[in-house]
């Protein structure tokens, strides 16, 4: 993202806050994995959305129309010895020179300076209730201002979650964000194609996982948006299966739910295909049903339609299909009303997608499902998970299939960002045969 894009976002937030308000957004902190080893660091999406600053232990303040500048950054100071061990830091010099901050302070001055910034603002926006230590710290700053009201200080009286403003902004993607998400989805789609090409019976799930990482990393996306799910046979029926270490058997399907993160933006794609390259007739029947549900659901993802319409459409198609296959019995309307699909399809048909894989943004407004608008991105991911329950005819048992695409709402309908990953069963078979 360009400096201008970050500036535009900060300006938009400042406008929404108004001159009476002030916003505080903390960066993520490092988390210990064991002793002195940390989990890979991932910046807080709200913080990086506004700053592009990827170091831990920082705070952003937006104080609209403050005369010394409305964008203040607190960060770790330069420290040649620590940087020798742990890596480079921007420092306060870099925060202003390279990240556009109007003013920057070393983190050690946070408690001293923050009350002086808060003073004079009637409304305080911060992520309330996310981190109890932060809640207490912010209230400590506010109480320092309150202690000075007789001397003319103005302490905040209204406290608002900063997410209520930020997440509406993040829900509608800018052209630069769409470009990044399109590229992320293209890289993941190429990785899915590669897995179809190399898969064969006897291979381990972990081999496919390694190949997925390899294709993404060599295409510029070193990070994954979430832990890949690579499940052969019955493992595909475990929704969040991440063990990924079982051998793949001839005659089974394999489900791959994997997507890279590129420049802080997620992709999230699922494909299900036969380990040996040919769908058996029962596998193909179930696959074509899930594909029919997915295609029908994607058609419902367009401006003006409501969030629940793709899900309701998928449920309708799947329920009809389950009756046809002899897995459900009864009248369609009653089966839908009773949610009879739930033992075989227990999740929703999608979620917002963006910087976070399950991205921010509300699904309802004023108590009703919200309408789609151009610039929103969602996943559409129906599935069927047929266990070995008696209700399921023997040929269909232990089949798990999900098909997931990343869908951008456009002015006229939608664009499937992940379209380069084949999902037509004949196209999959011919790619695997090649
Ligand atoms: N990969 C997580 C999901 O599909 O929601
Ligand atoms: Mn998903
Ligand atoms: Mn997924």
């Amino acid at each position: 993202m360009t400096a201008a894009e970050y500036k535009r976002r900060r300006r938009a937030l400042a406008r929404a806050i108004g001159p009476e308000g002030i916003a505080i957004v903390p960066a993520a902190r490092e988390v210990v994995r064991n002793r002195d080893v940390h989990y890979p660091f991932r910046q807080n999406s709200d913080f990086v959305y506004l700053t592009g600053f990827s170091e831990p232990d920082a705070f952003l303040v937006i104080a609209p129309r403050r005369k010394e500048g409305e964008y203040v950054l607190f960060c770790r100071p330069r420290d040649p010895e620590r940087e020798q061990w742990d890596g480079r830091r921007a420092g306060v010099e870099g925060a202003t020179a390279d990240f556009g901050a109007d003013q920057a302070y070393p983190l050690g001055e946070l408690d001293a300076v923050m009350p002086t910034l808060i003073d004079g603002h009637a409304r305080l926006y911060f992520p309330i209730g996310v981190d109890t230590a932060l809640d207490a710290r912010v209230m400590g700053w506010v109480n320092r201002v309150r202690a000075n009201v007789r001397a003319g200080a103005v302490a905040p009286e209204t406290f608002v979650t900063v997410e209520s403003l930020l997440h509406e902004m993040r829900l509608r993607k800018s052209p630069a964000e769409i470009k990044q998400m399109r590229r992320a989805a293209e890289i993941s789609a190429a990785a899915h194609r590669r897995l179809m090409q190399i898969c064969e019976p006897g291979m381990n799930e972990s081999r496919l996982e390694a190949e997925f990482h390899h294709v993404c990393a060599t295409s510029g996306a070193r990070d994954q948006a979430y832990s890949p799910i690579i499940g052969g046979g019955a493992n595909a029926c475990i929704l969040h299966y991440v063990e990924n270490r079982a051998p793949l058997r001839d005659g089974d399907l394999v489900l791959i739910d994997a997507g890279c993160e590129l420049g802080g933006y997620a992709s999230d794609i699922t494909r299900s295909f036969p380990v040996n390259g040919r769908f058996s007739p029962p596998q193909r029947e179930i696959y074509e049903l899930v594909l029919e549900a997915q295609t029908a659901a994607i058609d419902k993802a367009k401006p003006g339609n409501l969030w629940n319409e793709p899900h309701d459409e998928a449920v309708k198609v799947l329920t009809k299909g389950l009756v046809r296959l002899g897995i459900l019995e009864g009248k369609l309307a009653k089966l839908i009303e009773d949610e009879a699909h739930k033992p075989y399809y227990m999740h929703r048909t999608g979620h917002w997608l963006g910087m976070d894989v399950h991205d921010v943004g509300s699904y309802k407004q004023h108590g009703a499902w919200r309408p789609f608008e151009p610039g929103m991105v969602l996943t559409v991911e129906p599935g069927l998970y047929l266990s070995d329950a008696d209700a399921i005819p023997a040929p269909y048992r232990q089949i798990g299939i999900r098909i997931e695409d990343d869908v951008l709402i456009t002015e006229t309908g939608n664009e499937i960002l992940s379209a380069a990953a084949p999902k037509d069963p004949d196209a999959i078979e011919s790619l695997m045969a090649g």
Side-chain angles (χ1 to χ4, degrees):
M1 295 294 149
T2 61
E5 171 96 3
Y6 292 115
K7 193 168 181 180
R8 187 188 59 70
R9 296 170 181 178
R10 289 191 298 268
R11 280 297 322 149
L13 180 64
R15 265 197 308 279
I17 290 170
E20 299 254 280
I22 181 169
I24 299 172
V25 182
R29 314 208 53 182
E30 287 200 291
V31 182
V32 172
R33 183 170 185 268
N34 54 48
R35 294 179 61 82
D36 58 351
V37 175
H38 294 97
Y39 284 103
F41 180 73
R42 166 64 158 69
Q43 187 57 285
N44 174 289
S45 296
D46 286 334
F47 181 87
V48 77
Y49 178 80
L50 294 168
T51 62
F53 192 73
S54 57
E55 293 182 27
D57 296 330
F59 279 82
L60 156 75
V61 176
I62 301 275
R65 298 204 210 146
R66 179 171 167 267
K67 62 178 185 308
E68 300 84 352
E70 64 182 18
Y71 168 29
V72 181
L73 202 53
F74 292 84
C75 61
R76 303 177 307 181
R78 297 293 311 271
D79 180 337
E81 194 190 334
R82 279 321 324 152
E83 289 180 57
Q84 169 84 67
W85 285 86
D86 302 329
R88 298 184 183 89
R89 298 177 175 187
V92 289
E93 307 84 349
T96 47
D98 303 328
F99 292 91
D102 296 315
Q103 273 188 315
Y105 293 96
L107 198 64
E109 294 183 24
L110 186 69
D111 290 320
V113 175
M114 205 59 107
T116 69
L117 297 176
I118 293 173
D119 183 2
H121 295 94
R123 237 180 6 261
L124 176 58
Y125 295 80
F126 77 100
I128 300 168
V130 172
D131 170 357
T132 49
L134 177 72
D135 292 347
R137 197 168 187 187
V138 172
M139 285 309 151
W141 300 331
V142 169
N143 282 330
R144 294 253 305 281
V145 183
R146 284 174 177 159
N148 284 328
V149 287
R150 276 189 301 281
V154 175
E157 292 183 344
T158 307
F159 299 85
V160 189
T161 55
V162 69
E163 295 93 328
S164 59
L165 301 177
L166 266 180
H167 291 182
E168 277 298 299
M169 289 167 56
R170 282 178 51 193
L171 177 58
R172 295 179 183 82
K173 275 68 181 174
S174 71
E177 290 182 292
I178 289 168
K179 193 168 158 204
Q180 191 79 345
M181 291 188 73
R182 194 178 278 126
R183 181 72 192 129
E186 278 167 7
I187 292 171
S188 296
H192 276 272
R193 277 201 306 275
R194 175 84 186 132
L195 265 46
M196 289 174 190
Q197 287 171 316
I198 68 162
C199 185
E200 58 184 25
M203 199 173 249
N204 199 284
E205 292 164 351
S206 63
R207 172 73 182 84
L208 293 183
E209 182 177 28
E211 190 70 19
F212 198 89
H213 284 288
H214 176 83
V215 176
C216 294
T218 53
S219 310
R222 180 174 168 257
D223 297 321
Q224 294 294 304
Y226 52 94
S227 300
I229 297 164
I230 319 264
N235 293 339
C237 295
I238 303 169
L239 299 179
H240 290 160
Y241 174 81
V242 289
E243 288 169 44
N244 304 353
R245 64 189 74 200
L248 295 163
R249 294 185 319 198
D250 198 356
D252 278 351
L253 295 176
V254 58
L255 181 153
I256 316 279
D257 182 347
C260 69
E261 180 178 292
L262 182 71
Y265 287 81
S267 56
D268 181 10
I269 305 178
T270 307
R271 289 294 183 264
S272 308
F273 56 87
V275 169
N276 65 14
R278 305 284 300 179
F279 287 92
S280 71
Q283 287 169 349
R284 191 178 260 262
E285 269 184 285
I286 307 291
Y287 186 91
E288 285 179 345
L289 172 55
V290 176
L291 184 58
E292 184 193 342
Q294 204 234 11
T295 309
I298 290 175
D299 283 346
K300 294 285 181 189
K302 57 184 183 190
N305 274 10
L306 304 180
W307 166 261
N308 61 314
E309 291 186 54
H311 178 70
D312 290 351
E313 191 64 21
V315 165
K316 193 156 84 188
V317 173
L318 291 175
T319 307
K320 243 191 240 176
L322 289 168
V323 172
R324 204 164 60 225
L325 295 169
I327 297 171
L328 288 179
E329 243 177 79
K331 288 247 180 306
L332 183 64
K334 177 86 173 100
L335 290 170
I336 290 173
E337 187 192 325
D338 293 346
E339 300 188 321
H341 64 279
K342 280 238 173 124
Y344 315 108
Y345 177 42
M346 56 295 281
H347 58 80
R348 300 278 305 183
T349 302
H351 48 82
W352 299 131
L353 184 71
M355 300 186 87
D356 299 331
V357 60
H358 293 170
D359 204 33
V360 298
S362 67
Y363 293 95
K364 283 191 163 179
Q365 280 178 320
H366 316 297
W369 295 114
R370 76 183 299 161
F372 293 115
E373 295 169 39
M376 293 174 169
V377 182
L378 68 149
T379 66
V380 180
E381 49 177 309
L384 280 176
Y385 312 95
L386 306 178
S387 62
D388 48 10
D390 290 344
I392 299 169
Y396 303 132
R397 287 185 196 164
Q398 305 222 330
I399 293 179
I401 293 173
R402 178 164 63 254
I403 307 173
E404 174 174 32
D405 279 303
D406 302 345
V407 177
L408 164 71
I409 306 295
T410 61
E411 296 290 337
T412 52
N414 65 54
E415 174 189 336
I416 302 177
L417 303 178
S418 46
K423 61 182 175 181
D424 173 80
D426 294 331
I428 290 175
E429 286 187 349
S430 89
L431 180 66
M432 294 185 76

